């Protein structure tokens, strides 16, 4: 980015994407047991990020470098990819709607 545009872009980002307060930590009293499962992603090097835990227990993520959305299903202990209908996308960010449907916001690369 040209040096003379840095301040303009910085001000735009500050104005349009303000910092959000972090939620307060929740302290769980007493001992806690946790089980951790690891699943390999179907496309190595896809740069999985932006995880979203949905109400059905699934974990969705974006595979930005592969143009795919990923789904980890801990109940079935499996993972799979869903290819975008658009070519050359870099999906980024996920949301779950009121009916439980999940979608990503593709960013053209």
């Amino acid at each position: 980015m040209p040096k003379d545009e840095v301040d303009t872009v910085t001000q735009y980002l500050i104005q349009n994407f303000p910092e959000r307060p972090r939620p307060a930590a929740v302290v769980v009293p007493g001992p806690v047991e946790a089980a951790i499962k690891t699943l390999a992603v179907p496309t190595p090097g896809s740069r999985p990020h932006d995880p979203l835990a949905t109400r059905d227990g699934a974990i969705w993520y974006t595979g930005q470098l592969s143009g795919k959305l990923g789904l980890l299903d801990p109940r079935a202990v499996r993972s799979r990819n869903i290819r975008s209908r658009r070519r050359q996308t870099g999906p980024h960010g996920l949301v779950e709607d009121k009916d439980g449907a999940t979608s990503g916001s593709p960013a053209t690369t």
Side-chain angles (χ1 to χ4, degrees):
M1 169 183 319
K3 288 182 181 182
D4 63 330
E5 294 179 13
V6 170
D7 188 54
T8 302
V9 171
T10 301
Q11 293 308 312
Y12 168 81
L13 293 172
I14 290 170
Q15 182 178 1
N16 292 285
F17 300 96
E19 210 173 322
R20 297 181 195 162
R22 291 185 178 198
V26 177
V27 177
V28 178
V32 175
E33 288 188 31
I36 298 173
K37 294 179 186 178
T38 59
L39 299 172
V41 294
T43 306
S46 62
R47 192 175 174 195
H49 62 102
D50 296 331
L52 172 69
T54 55
R55 65 186 98 180
D56 63 359
I59 306 293
W60 290 82
Y61 64 89
T62 58
Q64 191 174 29
L65 296 182
S66 66
K68 299 175 184 175
L69 298 180
L71 171 61
L72 303 175
D73 185 348
R75 292 168 301 179
V77 192
R78 69 183 179 106
S79 60
R80 66 186 179 110
N81 281 328
I82 296 136
R83 184 175 294 282
S84 173
R85 286 181 248 167
R86 294 174 30 188
R87 299 181 126 222
Q88 296 181 331
T89 61
H92 208 305
L94 294 163
V95 294
E96 180 180 22
D97 70 12
K98 64 181 177 58
D99 298 321
T102 306
S103 66
S105 54
T108 305
T109 56

